[in-house]
Amino acid sequence: MVGWSFLIILIPLAGFAINILGSRVIPKWLAMLVGVMAVIIPFTIAGGLFFGVGEFLIREHWFNWLETDSWLLEVAYRLDHLSMVMLLIILGIGGLIHIYSVGYMRDREDAGRFFSYMNLFIFFMLVLVLGDNLLVMFIGWEGVGLCSYLLIGFDYHRKAAAIAATKAFVTNRIGDVGFLIAIFILLNNFGTLSFTKLNQVIPNALASGEIGVGLVSLICILLFFAATGKSAQFPLFTWLPDAMEGPTPVSALIHAATMVTSGIYLIVRLWPIFELSELAQSVILYTGAFSALVSALIATKQWDIKKVLAYSTISQLGYMFMALGAGGYGAAMFHLTTHAFFKALLFLVAGSVIVQLHHQQDLRKMGGLKLRLPLAGLIFAIGAWSISGLPFGAGFFSKDELLWQLYLDRGWDVWLLAVLIAFLSAYYTYRLFYLIFYGQSAEHSQKSYPSLVAEPAAMKYVLIVLAAGTVLVGLLGVPHYLDIFHVGNLINLYLAKVVVMPSQLGIDQSMTEILLMSTSLAVAVGGFLLARMRYRKSLPIEKDNGWNRLLVGKFFVDDIYQDYIAKPFSNLVKGLGIAYFEDFFHSAPKWGRRFFLKIGESIGKTGQSGNMQDYALAIGFSMMIGFAIVVILFLTSWLY
Amino acid sequence: MEFILVSLILLPLAGFSVALILPSDYKWQRINFIFFTLLSLAAAIYSFKFDGLDKFHDIINIPWLSVMQVNFRLGIDYISLSLVLTTTFIFVGSAVAGVGKENIKINTALMLLLEAFLIGVFLASDVLLFYIFWELVMLPVIGLFFINIKDQYRAIYFYLYTIAGSLVMFLGIVYIYFYYGDLASGGGYVDWLEVRALNNNLIWALFAIAFAIKAPLFPFHGWQAGAYQAAPTFLTVILATLLSKMGWYGFYRYSHKLLGEGGEFWQGSILFLSVVGVIYGAMMAWQSKNIKSLFAYSSLSHLNMMIYGIFSDSEVALAGSIFFAIQHSLIMAGIFWIIQFLEGRKGINLTNNFNGLFKVAPVLAGFFIFLSLANIGLPGLSGFVGEFTILSGNFKFYPGLTVVATGGVILAALYQLKIIQRLFFGEVSLINERINYKLGYEMIAILAIIIIAVIIMGIYPSFLFDLFKEIV
C-alpha cells in the first residue's frame, strides 16, 4: 500500500491532463467521470493508508531539484499524521464537491474544463500538504493560487469574474514575497528547507546562541505574512469576498474548506519554530483576532448570501490563527477539520438554494423558503448549528477546545474577545438562516419565484452525506468531561505524534473549563436568539447611523486600499510612463534626438518607396559603418 | 569534427545564398528557410558531442589577420552551445511562423544571414572576431527594418543607439591594442582567462556600455520598447530572444569572466542599476498600452534580473542567470509567435480591456496563459528556477537589493494578468467571432516543444543547472 502512495498525487494530475488535452474529443459525461474518479481513487488509497498503517511516516525522495555547495533542495514528499489529516479533508470533501459539481455543471458546455481545473487544484493542494520541504510546499502554494485564479475567472465572459480573479492572484503574490524572502533567509542561514531539519536545527541554533531570537521572529512573521495572503487575514483579506464571483463549488472547495487553510497548515507544520518566538506568536494571535472580529462584524450587514459566508470564513480562519498564536496547534487543526465540513456544507447548500432560485444571491429577495425547500432548510440548519457552536454541533467541540486553549495561554481578556466573536458568528449565521428560510411568507416567495429549478440528484445526495459528516466530525474531539465512553480526544491523540499537545488536566481545572464552556454556550445562544428575534418575522429596517455605515462599507478597507495604495501607485506608474522618465531617456539629449530625427526623415522618405534601390541604400549604409570600422582597424595597425 | 562548428555558421549562409537564387515564391522560400534552419539545429545538437564542454576552449584556431597576429578562433562550452542551440531552435520556429508574405525573398535571406551572425557571436573566441560578428548582426536587422516598416524613426534611433554602443566597445579594443601592443596576447579568450590581464576600469567600462545598450541594462533601454514595437513581429521575436542575449552573453563572457578586477570597481553601480531596472521594467510593462511594448518592458525587467545574477559574488546566482537566459529566450519566442499570429488576424483591439478571445481561441489562450505563467516565474516552471537561484544566491551578499528585486514578482503578476485579461476575458466581439483563430499544426508542435522544455526545466532543473554550475 505504501508503495502506491505516490499515486495519490499523480492521479489528479492525470485527470487534469486527460481533460485539458482531450477537451475537444471527450464527451461531457466522460470528462465528469474522469474528473470525479481522479479524486475518488486517491481518496480510497489514502483511506487504505490511514487504516492500513499504524505508526507511519512515509518519506520518499524522488530526485534532487537543485544542489549547490551550500544547500540541497529535494523533491520529496512526506506523509505523516498531520498531512494525513489534511489529505483526508482535501480528498474527502474534495471528492464530495466534485460529485456535487457533476450536478452543478450539468448544463454547462465547458464542464470538462471545469473538472480539469478542479483536478489541477487537488493536485497542487496535495503537493502543498505532502511536500517534504518548503520549496515543494511553495510549488503547491503558488499552484493553488493559480487554480484559484483560473476557477474564479472560470466564467471568463463576465468582467467582474476577471477582475476578482486578478485581484486574488495579485494579493496572494504579495504574500508570496514574504514566503520567498523567508526561504532565502532559511537557505542562507541553515542550508536546508526540509521541515524535519528546520524543526531541529533552528531551536538548536537558538539554544546555542548561533542565531538571535530576532531572526527567528523575522522568519516566522514573513511566513505568517504569506499565510495572511493565502488564508485571507488582515491586511491581505480583501480578495476572498470578491472571489465569490467563482462558481459555488469552487467557493466551497477552495475558498472555504481547503486552500484558505494552508496558512494554518504551514504554521502547524513548523510549530517548533513558531514556538520559539514570543513576538511572532503575539502577532499571529492579534492579527487573527482582529481579522476575525472585523470580518464577523462585516458579515452581519452583508446582503449577498455568498459574501456572508466568505466573511464568516475569514472570521473562522482568524479564530484558528488565534489558537495558533496561543500554542493550540491541535485545537487549530481540529477547528480546521470541523470548519472544512460545516463551511463546505453551508456553501453547497447555499449553492443549491441559488441554483433553485434561478441564480439569485441577494438575501433580500429570498425569504419564506422553509416549506418550499425543506431539505435545504434542514441541512442549512445543521450547518448553522455547527458553526455557531450550539451544543453537540461540530463547532461546539472545536470552539470549546480552542477557547480553552486561549484561556490557558492568554487569560481572560483574549478569551472574552474570542467569545464576542463566537457571539457574532452565531448571530450572522442565524441571520442568514432566517433571511433565507423565514422572514417572509411562503405566498410571497411563491409570487417572486413561481417555479423553482429542480435540483440535480448528485447535489442532493452530496448534501445529505456531508450533513451526516458534519454531525459526526465533532465526535473526533470530545472534551474529557463529556467523554463518557473514554475514547479520548481522537484527533489530538492522532496528531500528538506530530505536534505538541497541552498536558492532561486535573479535576479542578475541569470545573473552570465547564464554567467557561457554559458561558460561551450562553453567549452563542444569545447570538442565535438575537438573530431570531430580528429576522424571523420580516426584514428589519436598518438605521442609517455611523456604525451601520461603517459596517455596510466593510470598514472601508477596500476603499482605503483602492484610494491610498492602488490608485497612487497606478498614477505613479502612469506618470512614469507618460510624463517624465520615458521622455527623459528617450529624448535626452535633445540635440541628439533632433539629429536622429533628421537622418530618420531623410532615410525614412526613401525607405517608404520600397524598391530595390532603397534596400541597397539601407544595406550600404549599414555596411559602410561596418567596413569603416575594419578599415580603421587596419590603418591603426599599420600606423603602429 | 571541427567542421561541425564551422558549418553552424556556414549552413545559414548557404541558406542565405539559396534564398537569393530561388524565385520570390512563398512556398519555395519557406521550404528553403525551414530546411536550412533545421540543418543548423541538427548541427547544433550534434556539436554537443564535443569533449570538455565544461571549460571554454578553442576548437578552431587558424591564422587570419596576420598583420595584427589575430587568429580566426571559434570556441565552445556548455553555455555558448546552449545559446547556439536556442538560436537554431528559435530560427526553426521563425521559419515555421513565417516572415510575412510580402518581401518573402529578401526577408528569408536576411533572417538566415542574421542566424549565421548570431551564431558567430556566440562562438567567437577572439575579441576582434567577436566584435566583427557583433557589428555584422546589425546588418540584416537594419535591413529587415528598412524593408518591412514604414515609420523609420524608431529603427534609426535603435540603430544609431546600438552603433554608438559598438563604437565605444571598438574604442575599448583600440585601447587594448595600444596598451598591450597587439591583440594576440590579449585577443584569445583562453589566454586572457589565464592571465586575467586586463584589470582596467576604463576598458571594462567601454565594453560594458556596449553590452548594456544591447541587453539593455537600465537606463540604456531608450531604444527598446520603440524598436520592439516598430519592428515586424517576426523580427521582434529575434530582438527579444536573441539580440538581448548578445548583450547578456557579452556581460557574461567578457565583463564577468575576462576583464577581471576592473569590474569590481563598477560592480556596485551595475547591481544597483539592474535592480532598478527589474522594478522599473515591470512597472513600465504594467502601464504599456501596446502588447509588444508590454513584453519589451517585461524583457527589460527580466534581463536586468539576469544581469543582477551575473554581477554577484554568488556562483549559484551566476548559474541561475545562465539558466534564466536560456529559458527566457524560449518563453519570449513562444509569446511573440502568438502575438505574431494574432497580429495577422487584425481583430484585436488592445485599447479595449476585454477582447474575450478565450471563446474563439481556447487552444491559443491555453498556450499563451501557460507561457505567461512561466514568464512570471510560477514555481514548477522554468522561469521560477532562474529567479529563485538568482535571488537566493544574491540574498547572502545583498539582502536589501534582493528584497527589492523580489518585489518585482508582484509587479510581474500585475502586467501579465493584465494582458491575459485584455486578450481573453470578457465578451467576444462580433468581428472576432468570424475570424479563424486556429493555430496550424506545425506551430502547435513548436509551442508544445517549448512547453515541454519549460516544464522539464522547471521540475528537474538540475540536469542543466549542474552543467552551468561546473563552468562558473
Side-chain angles (χ1 to χ4, degrees), chain A residues 333-412:
Chain A
M333 283 307 290
F334 184 34
H335 197 58
L336 187 157
T337 313
T338 58
H339 175 258
F341 275 86
F342 58 65
K343 190 51 67 62
L345 182 71
L346 286 171
F347 263 115
L348 292 185
V349 74
S352 146
V353 171
I354 291 168
V355 165
Q356 295 183 65
L357 294 185
H358 308 267
H359 289 276
Q360 178 58 260
Q361 294 188 205
D362 193 333
L363 286 168
R364 285 165 292 199
K365 294 182 181 144
M366 296 182 178
L369 292 170
K370 178 182 63 168
L371 292 173
R372 302 188 71 198
L373 299 174
L375 179 73
L378 178 68
I379 287 174
F380 200 105
I382 293 173
W385 189 269
S386 301
I387 191 175
S388 309
L390 296 175
F392 309 110
F396 168 73
F397 298 110
S398 56
K399 259 186 197 167
D400 173 50
E401 195 186 328
L402 203 150
L403 288 169
W404 176 235
Q405 188 65 41
L406 285 177
Y407 170 75
L408 279 185
D409 197 72
R410 299 274 165 165
W412 283 104

Side-chain angles (χ1 to χ4, degrees), chain A residues 63-67 142 153 156 166 173 184 188 569 573 582 585-586 596-597 603 615 618 622 629 633 637, chain B residues 128 139 142 146-147 153-154 157 159-160 170 222 283 297 376 379 389 392 409 421 425-426 458-459 462 469:
Chain A
F63 50 84
N64 287 348
W65 193 70
L66 277 184
E67 191 184 353
E142 283 236 317
Y156 49 83
T166 306
R173 271 234 150 175
F184 300 153
N188 281 308
F569 179 71
V573 173
E582 180 62 352
F585 288 124
H586 197 248
F596 292 142
L597 211 57
I603 297 180
Y615 303 157
S622 331
I629 289 158
L633 213 67
S637 80
Chain B
L128 191 64
L139 267 168
I142 208 68
F146 279 131
I147 290 157
Y153 167 65
R154 296 270 178 184
Y157 187 84
Y159 191 40
L160 292 179
F170 180 66
M283 279 161 95
Y297 282 117
I376 62 173
T389 42
S392 62
V409 305
Q421 176 174 310
F425 283 95
I459 293 178
S462 44
K469 215 174 53 193

Side-chain angles (χ1 to χ4, degrees), chain A residues 137-151:
Chain A
M137 189 184 200
F138 188 65
I139 293 175
W141 186 271
E142 283 236 317
V144 290
L146 163 70
C147 295
S148 164
Y149 168 78
L150 291 173
L151 282 163

Side-chain angles (χ1 to χ4, degrees), chain A residues 71-134:
Chain A
W71 39 263
L72 168 67
L73 294 174
E74 299 166 298
V75 173
Y77 72 88
R78 68 181 287 133
L79 183 56
D80 59 5
H81 297 79
L82 178 59
S83 23
M84 186 48 119
V85 171
M86 293 299 287
L87 196 64
L88 290 175
I89 293 173
I90 294 160
L91 291 171
I93 293 183
L96 285 173
I97 293 174
H98 273 70
I99 298 170
Y100 178 94
S101 307
V102 170
Y104 193 88
M105 300 302 288
R106 74 193 153 154
D107 299 327
R108 292 288 299 262
E109 278 307 308
D110 41 8
R113 189 164 62 91
F114 181 79
F115 276 93
S116 65
Y117 291 170
M118 291 285 269
N119 282 173
L120 186 66
F121 168 76
I122 295 281
F123 165 72
F124 277 126
M125 198 64 213
L126 294 178
V127 170
L128 196 161
V129 298
L130 293 176
D132 183 54
N133 55 47
L134 274 172

Side-chain angles (χ1 to χ4, degrees), chain A residues 445-484:
Chain A
S445 159
Q446 194 79 43
K447 229 182 283 167
S448 333
Y449 303 99
S451 69
L452 296 179
V453 181
E455 185 181 21
M459 287 164 70
K460 202 183 290 174
Y461 293 124
V462 166
L463 285 177
I464 294 170
V465 173
L466 198 56
T470 307
V471 171
L472 294 175
V473 67
L475 301 178
L476 291 176
V478 179
H480 59 100
Y481 54 85
L482 288 174
D483 188 11
I484 36 180

